[in-house]
Amino acid sequence: RWLSTTAATENMGSVDYNFTKDRVSKTGSGSAEHRGYTYLLFGANKFIYASAVRISAIKFIATMSASKDVLALASAEFDISAVEEGNTITVKWRGKPVFIRHRTADEIAESEAVSLDALRDPQVDSDRAQTPEWLVCLGICTHLGCVPISGAGDYGGWFCPCHGSHYDVSGRIRKGPAPLNLEIPPYKFIEDTKILVG
């Protein structure tokens, strides 16, 4: 027989049978006095938590920025005083070849005389060269990324032997499978004979 008497069922609330109801009443007179202190603690905890999240986010984002050695390679300065008219030098910037060509007056006139209708990727020469005498372009063929040969091809500019793309002395595609002109990197003249690429 399970719990046959009513006395046994009445005493199941406490092991020592001395249970008394001693819970704190939340509706008493002391709760309103401590409410401001409670709000202050909650507010301070939220402020500390938000500050910790902000600092963690800033540190995480800072790890994704470029390091100082990478930023130093972002731009490069080149002396072009020794480059004679009609010649091209190849320099390295960010691991890529850059062609710097000192153009002759005939090459400039020839580039400016080309009709835009004859070009696959139409660009006037003045948009590609900051000064007419100097052309600065990336030495990467826009077809599959080969390095073209300077002073070769049907137009006297560059020729890519991989698949036969011909560029003129303004770096514009004239013949072959390449879809675009040679890319112009960001650059500026810091002196008459010095160029800063990047």
Side-chain angles (χ1 to χ4, degrees), residues 50-131:
S51 298
V53 169
R54 178 182 166 274
I55 291 170
S56 300
I58 289 172
K59 286 185 177 180
F60 176 71
I61 292 170
T63 61
M64 292 188 278
S65 64
S67 59
K68 290 182 180 179
D69 57 341
V70 172
L71 291 175
L73 294 174
S75 61
E77 184 180 310
F78 302 104
D79 184 6
I80 55 174
S81 59
V83 183
E84 297 179 6
E85 278 192 2
N87 290 339
T88 303
I89 62 169
T90 304
V91 296
K92 191 174 181 181
W93 172 66
R94 292 186 180 176
K96 300 175 184 178
V98 175
F99 298 144
I100 302 175
R101 183 175 184 90
H102 193 178
R103 302 190 298 178
T104 63
D106 292 339
E107 290 174 340
I108 296 167
E110 181 185 340
S111 296
E112 291 174 348
V114 174
S115 170
L116 292 180
D117 296 333
L119 300 173
R120 183 178 301 159
D121 184 12
Q123 277 186 313
V124 294
D125 185 64
S126 59
D127 289 344
R128 298 184 54 78
Q130 292 182 14
T131 59

